[in-house]
Amino acid sequence: TQTTRPQRMLAAVQKNATRGDPRSVVKAIDQFCRQKEWAMNVGDEKGCILDSVVTEVNPETVLELGTYCGYSTVRIASLLPPQAKLITLEFNPGNAAIARQVIAWAGLEDKVELVEGASGDFIPKMKEMFGIKTFDLVFLDHWKDRYLPDTKLMEECGLLRKGSILLADNVICPGTPDYLEYIRNSPRYKSQFFKSHLEYTKVEDGLEKSIFLG
Ligand SMILES: O=C(NCCNC(=O)c1cc(-c2ccc(F)cc2)cc(O)c1O)c1cc(O)ncn1
Ligand SMILES: [Mg+2]
């Protein structure tokens, strides 16, 4: 029977990456996506911007919306301080199953809590489920039409504090026009655009970094 692309990506990680070495897992996925099959990981170019934001924020609590196969989960978790926690939400059970194995191969399972389900259902439960007060960093990389409603939901649930950072992938391609319009015009955020390219291509894309002002 036919394997899925995430399953083929995991096989490439298990074949080419060293257990417990997050950078080798990232490299193996990027090689797979460049040489074999395109996949919607944030990729190496935007990944470097992600790394620099994570390093700058040095967050204790991170929320990732849209795990996919765990590529950005591994990039982020590998840069976190010892007691920090990353909660990542994935809707698609098949993707979640692969992501768990990719995260485990990187040896980062102790820093990561992968939750299967819809972001809209879980965001209101974050406090009671994980004892999270607020998130220092949120990486938005799930359904593009969920960026805005979920940001408003995080505001309403008190999950953002003065200085919380939102980093959004794909604000140009596929694009998140309603989110950009809101976040760039809201007096409650200060935003900055990082021009880049769609993963593994020359197509224009970028990341939007926004600071919640409270
Ligand atoms: O998270 C869920 N899907 C992946 C979201 N991510 C994307 O859609 C995504 C797409 C692209 C992309 C860009 C150009 C192109 F031609 C095709 C795809 C790139 C990216 O970097 C993404 O991140 C999801 C699934 C589901 O069933 N229910 C709830 N959420
Ligand atoms: Mg993306």
Side-chain angles (χ1 to χ4, degrees), residues 9-11 35 71 73 87 91 97 105 114 123 125-126 141-142 149 156 161 181 183 186 197 214:
M9 191 186 297
L10 173 62
Q35 294 162 11
Y71 173 90
T73 321
I87 295 171
F91 178 90
W105 197 269
L114 195 160
I123 285 170
K125 296 179 187 157
M126 281 295 148
D141 193 21
H142 59 332
E156 286 151 21
R161 53 135 175 108
E181 159 80 21
I183 208 91
S186 165
H197 296 93

PDB file of all heavy atoms in Angstrom, residues 9-11 35 71 73 87 91 97 105 114 123 125-126 141-142 149 156 161 181 183 186 197 214:
ATOM      1  N   MET A   9       9.029  11.182   4.712  1.00  0.00           N
ATOM      2  CA  MET A   9       9.903  12.169   5.347  1.00  0.00           C
ATOM      3  C   MET A   9      10.507  11.565   6.625  1.00  0.00           C
ATOM      4  O   MET A   9      11.717  11.659   6.867  1.00  0.00           O
ATOM      5  CB  MET A   9       9.114  13.438   5.682  1.00  0.00           C
ATOM      6  CG  MET A   9       9.966  14.610   6.102  1.00  0.00           C
ATOM      7  SD  MET A   9       8.965  16.000   6.650  1.00  0.00           S
ATOM      8  CE  MET A   9       8.078  16.380   5.162  1.00  0.00           C
ATOM      9  N   LEU A  10       9.678  10.892   7.422  1.00  0.00           N
ATOM     10  CA  LEU A  10      10.156  10.241   8.657  1.00  0.00           C
ATOM     11  C   LEU A  10      11.216   9.193   8.323  1.00  0.00           C
ATOM     12  O   LEU A  10      12.245   9.100   8.995  1.00  0.00           O
ATOM     13  CB  LEU A  10       8.991   9.595   9.405  1.00  0.00           C
ATOM     14  CG  LEU A  10       9.368   8.731  10.626  1.00  0.00           C
ATOM     15  CD1 LEU A  10      10.056   9.579  11.699  1.00  0.00           C
ATOM     16  CD2 LEU A  10       8.129   8.031  11.172  1.00  0.00           C
ATOM     17  N   ALA A  11      10.985   8.417   7.255  1.00  0.00           N
ATOM     18  CA  ALA A  11      11.953   7.380   6.853  1.00  0.00           C
ATOM     19  C   ALA A  11      13.301   8.027   6.512  1.00  0.00           C
ATOM     20  O   ALA A  11      14.363   7.514   6.886  1.00  0.00           O
ATOM     21  CB  ALA A  11      11.415   6.606   5.656  1.00  0.00           C
ATOM     22  N   GLN A  35      15.694  17.652  -2.382  1.00  0.00           N
ATOM     23  CA  GLN A  35      16.131  16.668  -3.394  1.00  0.00           C
ATOM     24  C   GLN A  35      15.039  15.694  -3.831  1.00  0.00           C
ATOM     25  O   GLN A  35      15.040  15.203  -4.938  1.00  0.00           O
ATOM     26  CB  GLN A  35      17.342  15.879  -2.856  1.00  0.00           C
ATOM     27  CG  GLN A  35      18.572  16.748  -2.683  1.00  0.00           C
ATOM     28  CD  GLN A  35      19.613  16.117  -1.762  1.00  0.00           C
ATOM     29  OE1 GLN A  35      19.499  14.938  -1.421  1.00  0.00           O
ATOM     30  NE2 GLN A  35      20.590  16.918  -1.357  1.00  0.00           N
ATOM     31  N   TYR A  71       9.013  19.674  12.045  1.00  0.00           N
ATOM     32  CA  TYR A  71      10.271  20.328  11.636  1.00  0.00           C
ATOM     33  C   TYR A  71      10.516  21.604  12.449  1.00  0.00           C
ATOM     34  O   TYR A  71      11.562  21.758  13.070  1.00  0.00           O
ATOM     35  CB  TYR A  71      10.195  20.651  10.137  1.00  0.00           C
ATOM     36  CG  TYR A  71      11.340  21.479   9.586  1.00  0.00           C
ATOM     37  CD1 TYR A  71      12.494  20.876   9.086  1.00  0.00           C
ATOM     38  CD2 TYR A  71      11.255  22.875   9.548  1.00  0.00           C
ATOM     39  CE1 TYR A  71      13.538  21.632   8.566  1.00  0.00           C
ATOM     40  CE2 TYR A  71      12.301  23.643   9.040  1.00  0.00           C
ATOM     41  CZ  TYR A  71      13.433  23.019   8.546  1.00  0.00           C
ATOM     42  OH  TYR A  71      14.467  23.769   8.041  1.00  0.00           O
ATOM     43  N   THR A  73       8.955  22.453  15.160  1.00  0.00           N
ATOM     44  CA  THR A  73       8.936  22.037  16.569  1.00  0.00           C
ATOM     45  C   THR A  73      10.347  21.705  17.030  1.00  0.00           C
ATOM     46  O   THR A  73      10.796  22.155  18.078  1.00  0.00           O
ATOM     47  CB  THR A  73       8.036  20.797  16.753  1.00  0.00           C
ATOM     48  OG1 THR A  73       6.879  20.898  15.930  1.00  0.00           O
ATOM     49  CG2 THR A  73       7.636  20.628  18.210  1.00  0.00           C
ATOM     50  N   ILE A  87       4.289  23.821  23.592  1.00  0.00           N
ATOM     51  CA  ILE A  87       3.049  23.082  23.316  1.00  0.00           C
ATOM     52  C   ILE A  87       2.734  23.272  21.837  1.00  0.00           C
ATOM     53  O   ILE A  87       2.756  24.396  21.348  1.00  0.00           O
ATOM     54  CB  ILE A  87       1.894  23.614  24.190  1.00  0.00           C
ATOM     55  CG1 ILE A  87       2.198  23.323  25.661  1.00  0.00           C
ATOM     56  CG2 ILE A  87       0.556  22.981  23.789  1.00  0.00           C
ATOM     57  CD1 ILE A  87       1.265  23.977  26.634  1.00  0.00           C
ATOM     58  N   PHE A  91      -3.952  19.269  14.009  1.00  0.00           N
ATOM     59  CA  PHE A  91      -5.326  18.810  13.779  1.00  0.00           C
ATOM     60  C   PHE A  91      -5.358  17.408  13.176  1.00  0.00           C
ATOM     61  O   PHE A  91      -6.209  16.601  13.494  1.00  0.00           O
ATOM     62  CB  PHE A  91      -5.989  19.813  12.823  1.00  0.00           C
ATOM     63  CG  PHE A  91      -7.384  19.469  12.432  1.00  0.00           C
ATOM     64  CD1 PHE A  91      -8.460  19.926  13.169  1.00  0.00           C
ATOM     65  CD2 PHE A  91      -7.639  18.674  11.323  1.00  0.00           C
ATOM     66  CE1 PHE A  91      -9.763  19.613  12.805  1.00  0.00           C
ATOM     67  CE2 PHE A  91      -8.929  18.356  10.947  1.00  0.00           C
ATOM     68  CZ  PHE A  91      -9.997  18.823  11.693  1.00  0.00           C
ATOM     69  N   ALA A  97       1.083  11.751  14.330  1.00  0.00           N
ATOM     70  CA  ALA A  97       1.792  10.483  14.595  1.00  0.00           C
ATOM     71  C   ALA A  97       3.225  10.546  14.073  1.00  0.00           C
ATOM     72  O   ALA A  97       4.160  10.079  14.729  1.00  0.00           O
ATOM     73  CB  ALA A  97       1.034   9.334  13.942  1.00  0.00           C
ATOM     74  N   TRP A 105      12.992  11.275  17.654  1.00  0.00           N
ATOM     75  CA  TRP A 105      14.290  11.002  17.018  1.00  0.00           C
ATOM     76  C   TRP A 105      15.298  12.104  17.364  1.00  0.00           C
ATOM     77  O   TRP A 105      16.487  11.840  17.588  1.00  0.00           O
ATOM     78  CB  TRP A 105      14.143  10.875  15.496  1.00  0.00           C
ATOM     79  CG  TRP A 105      15.338  10.200  14.841  1.00  0.00           C
ATOM     80  CD1 TRP A 105      16.460  10.815  14.332  1.00  0.00           C
ATOM     81  CD2 TRP A 105      15.533   8.798  14.653  1.00  0.00           C
ATOM     82  NE1 TRP A 105      17.336   9.865  13.843  1.00  0.00           N
ATOM     83  CE2 TRP A 105      16.788   8.623  14.016  1.00  0.00           C
ATOM     84  CE3 TRP A 105      14.763   7.665  14.938  1.00  0.00           C
ATOM     85  CZ2 TRP A 105      17.288   7.358  13.679  1.00  0.00           C
ATOM     86  CZ3 TRP A 105      15.260   6.408  14.606  1.00  0.00           C
ATOM     87  CH2 TRP A 105      16.513   6.266  13.987  1.00  0.00           C
ATOM     88  N   LEU A 114       2.743  17.568  22.444  1.00  0.00           N
ATOM     89  CA  LEU A 114       1.989  17.616  21.192  1.00  0.00           C
ATOM     90  C   LEU A 114       0.531  17.289  21.473  1.00  0.00           C
ATOM     91  O   LEU A 114       0.234  16.247  22.074  1.00  0.00           O
ATOM     92  CB  LEU A 114       2.556  16.622  20.168  1.00  0.00           C
ATOM     93  CG  LEU A 114       2.126  16.801  18.707  1.00  0.00           C
ATOM     94  CD1 LEU A 114       3.088  16.126  17.753  1.00  0.00           C
ATOM     95  CD2 LEU A 114       0.712  16.345  18.436  1.00  0.00           C
ATOM     96  N   ILE A 123      -7.247  26.174  22.570  1.00  0.00           N
ATOM     97  CA  ILE A 123      -6.721  27.437  23.099  1.00  0.00           C
ATOM     98  C   ILE A 123      -7.416  27.831  24.403  1.00  0.00           C
ATOM     99  O   ILE A 123      -6.749  28.140  25.398  1.00  0.00           O
ATOM    100  CB  ILE A 123      -6.756  28.555  22.026  1.00  0.00           C
ATOM    101  CG1 ILE A 123      -5.638  28.317  21.005  1.00  0.00           C
ATOM    102  CG2 ILE A 123      -6.647  29.943  22.661  1.00  0.00           C
ATOM    103  CD1 ILE A 123      -5.700  29.196  19.766  1.00  0.00           C
ATOM    104  N   LYS A 125      -8.491  25.982  26.614  1.00  0.00           N
ATOM    105  CA  LYS A 125      -8.222  24.992  27.674  1.00  0.00           C
ATOM    106  C   LYS A 125      -6.764  24.992  28.124  1.00  0.00           C
ATOM    107  O   LYS A 125      -6.369  24.214  28.985  1.00  0.00           O
ATOM    108  CB  LYS A 125      -8.589  23.579  27.186  1.00  0.00           C
ATOM    109  CG  LYS A 125     -10.067  23.370  26.888  1.00  0.00           C
ATOM    110  CD  LYS A 125     -10.307  21.945  26.388  1.00  0.00           C
ATOM    111  CE  LYS A 125     -11.746  21.741  25.908  1.00  0.00           C
ATOM    112  NZ  LYS A 125     -11.826  20.610  24.946  1.00  0.00           N
ATOM    113  N   MET A 126      -5.942  25.839  27.504  1.00  0.00           N
ATOM    114  CA  MET A 126      -4.495  25.809  27.776  1.00  0.00           C
ATOM    115  C   MET A 126      -4.169  25.953  29.270  1.00  0.00           C
ATOM    116  O   MET A 126      -3.340  25.232  29.805  1.00  0.00           O
ATOM    117  CB  MET A 126      -3.793  26.935  27.000  1.00  0.00           C
ATOM    118  CG  MET A 126      -3.573  26.635  25.547  1.00  0.00           C
ATOM    119  SD  MET A 126      -2.432  25.269  25.334  1.00  0.00           S
ATOM    120  CE  MET A 126      -3.086  24.557  23.847  1.00  0.00           C
ATOM    121  N   ASP A 141       1.385  28.633  12.241  1.00  0.00           N
ATOM    122  CA  ASP A 141       1.744  27.960  10.996  1.00  0.00           C
ATOM    123  C   ASP A 141       0.699  26.927  10.611  1.00  0.00           C
ATOM    124  O   ASP A 141       0.989  25.938   9.946  1.00  0.00           O
ATOM    125  CB  ASP A 141       3.117  27.281  11.157  1.00  0.00           C
ATOM    126  CG  ASP A 141       3.692  26.833   9.826  1.00  0.00           C
ATOM    127  OD1 ASP A 141       3.260  27.368   8.790  1.00  0.00           O
ATOM    128  OD2 ASP A 141       4.544  25.909   9.827  1.00  0.00           O
ATOM    129  N   HIS A 142      -0.543  27.183  11.057  1.00  0.00           N
ATOM    130  CA  HIS A 142      -1.612  26.220  10.768  1.00  0.00           C
ATOM    131  C   HIS A 142      -2.493  26.740   9.646  1.00  0.00           C
ATOM    132  O   HIS A 142      -2.018  27.486   8.782  1.00  0.00           O
ATOM    133  CB  HIS A 142      -2.394  25.901  12.059  1.00  0.00           C
ATOM    134  CG  HIS A 142      -3.044  27.067  12.752  1.00  0.00           C
ATOM    135  ND1 HIS A 142      -2.552  28.352  12.656  1.00  0.00           N
ATOM    136  CD2 HIS A 142      -4.141  27.104  13.558  1.00  0.00           C
ATOM    137  CE1 HIS A 142      -3.325  29.138  13.381  1.00  0.00           C
ATOM    138  NE2 HIS A 142      -4.297  28.412  13.925  1.00  0.00           N
ATOM    139  N   PRO A 149      -8.798  34.462  13.841  1.00  0.00           N
ATOM    140  CA  PRO A 149      -9.691  34.053  14.929  1.00  0.00           C
ATOM    141  C   PRO A 149      -8.934  33.509  16.140  1.00  0.00           C
ATOM    142  O   PRO A 149      -9.294  33.788  17.288  1.00  0.00           O
ATOM    143  CB  PRO A 149     -10.596  32.990  14.299  1.00  0.00           C
ATOM    144  CG  PRO A 149     -10.018  32.661  12.982  1.00  0.00           C
ATOM    145  CD  PRO A 149      -9.163  33.793  12.566  1.00  0.00           C
ATOM    146  N   GLU A 156      -8.565  37.028  24.158  1.00  0.00           N
ATOM    147  CA  GLU A 156      -9.745  36.882  25.037  1.00  0.00           C
ATOM    148  C   GLU A 156      -9.472  35.942  26.210  1.00  0.00           C
ATOM    149  O   GLU A 156      -9.973  36.163  27.313  1.00  0.00           O
ATOM    150  CB  GLU A 156     -10.952  36.362  24.238  1.00  0.00           C
ATOM    151  CG  GLU A 156     -11.600  37.390  23.321  1.00  0.00           C
ATOM    152  CD  GLU A 156     -12.248  36.738  22.087  1.00  0.00           C
ATOM    153  OE1 GLU A 156     -12.541  35.525  22.150  1.00  0.00           O
ATOM    154  OE2 GLU A 156     -12.416  37.447  21.071  1.00  0.00           O
ATOM    155  N   ARG A 161       0.652  38.284  27.202  1.00  0.00           N
ATOM    156  CA  ARG A 161       0.997  39.312  28.176  1.00  0.00           C
ATOM    157  C   ARG A 161       1.756  40.420  27.467  1.00  0.00           C
ATOM    158  O   ARG A 161       2.189  40.232  26.330  1.00  0.00           O
ATOM    159  CB  ARG A 161       1.870  38.701  29.288  1.00  0.00           C
ATOM    160  CG  ARG A 161       3.115  37.958  28.736  1.00  0.00           C
ATOM    161  CD  ARG A 161       4.375  38.271  29.474  1.00  0.00           C
ATOM    162  NE  ARG A 161       5.479  37.428  28.948  1.00  0.00           N
ATOM    163  CZ  ARG A 161       6.462  37.917  28.197  1.00  0.00           C
ATOM    164  NH1 ARG A 161       6.482  39.195  27.850  1.00  0.00           N
ATOM    165  NH2 ARG A 161       7.420  37.119  27.744  1.00  0.00           N
ATOM    166  N   GLU A 181      -3.905  42.524   8.055  1.00  0.00           N
ATOM    167  CA  GLU A 181      -4.686  43.766   8.160  1.00  0.00           C
ATOM    168  C   GLU A 181      -4.933  44.093   9.641  1.00  0.00           C
ATOM    169  O   GLU A 181      -4.681  45.197  10.115  1.00  0.00           O
ATOM    170  CB  GLU A 181      -6.004  43.564   7.392  1.00  0.00           C
ATOM    171  CG  GLU A 181      -7.149  44.490   7.749  1.00  0.00           C
ATOM    172  CD  GLU A 181      -7.011  45.849   7.069  1.00  0.00           C
ATOM    173  OE1 GLU A 181      -6.280  45.898   6.066  1.00  0.00           O
ATOM    174  OE2 GLU A 181      -7.593  46.823   7.554  1.00  0.00           O
ATOM    175  N   ILE A 183      -3.425  42.801  12.482  1.00  0.00           N
ATOM    176  CA  ILE A 183      -2.255  42.922  13.371  1.00  0.00           C
ATOM    177  C   ILE A 183      -1.455  44.192  13.077  1.00  0.00           C
ATOM    178  O   ILE A 183      -0.877  44.798  13.967  1.00  0.00           O
ATOM    179  CB  ILE A 183      -1.380  41.637  13.264  1.00  0.00           C
ATOM    180  CG1 ILE A 183      -0.620  41.386  14.565  1.00  0.00           C
ATOM    181  CG2 ILE A 183      -0.399  41.664  12.103  1.00  0.00           C
ATOM    182  CD1 ILE A 183      -1.371  40.504  15.528  1.00  0.00           C
ATOM    183  N   SER A 186      -3.727  47.239  14.407  1.00  0.00           N
ATOM    184  CA  SER A 186      -4.173  47.249  15.805  1.00  0.00           C
ATOM    185  C   SER A 186      -3.186  48.035  16.678  1.00  0.00           C
ATOM    186  O   SER A 186      -1.981  47.791  16.613  1.00  0.00           O
ATOM    187  CB  SER A 186      -4.284  45.816  16.336  1.00  0.00           C
ATOM    188  OG  SER A 186      -4.376  45.836  17.742  1.00  0.00           O
ATOM    189  N   HIS A 197      11.302  33.656   1.414  1.00  0.00           N
ATOM    190  CA  HIS A 197      10.741  32.888   0.283  1.00  0.00           C
ATOM    191  C   HIS A 197       9.995  31.671   0.802  1.00  0.00           C
ATOM    192  O   HIS A 197      10.337  31.137   1.856  1.00  0.00           O
ATOM    193  CB  HIS A 197      11.856  32.449  -0.670  1.00  0.00           C
ATOM    194  CG  HIS A 197      12.539  33.593  -1.317  1.00  0.00           C
ATOM    195  ND1 HIS A 197      13.677  34.163  -0.780  1.00  0.00           N
ATOM    196  CD2 HIS A 197      12.197  34.354  -2.394  1.00  0.00           C
ATOM    197  CE1 HIS A 197      14.044  35.199  -1.533  1.00  0.00           C
ATOM    198  NE2 HIS A 197      13.167  35.331  -2.511  1.00  0.00           N
ATOM    199  N   GLY A 214      -0.209  44.750  25.215  1.00  0.00           N
ATOM    200  CA  GLY A 214      -1.035  44.669  26.421  1.00  0.00           C
ATOM    201  C   GLY A 214      -2.274  45.542  26.328  1.00  0.00           C
ATOM    202  O   GLY A 214      -2.501  46.194  25.315  1.00  0.00           O
TER     203      GLY A 214
END
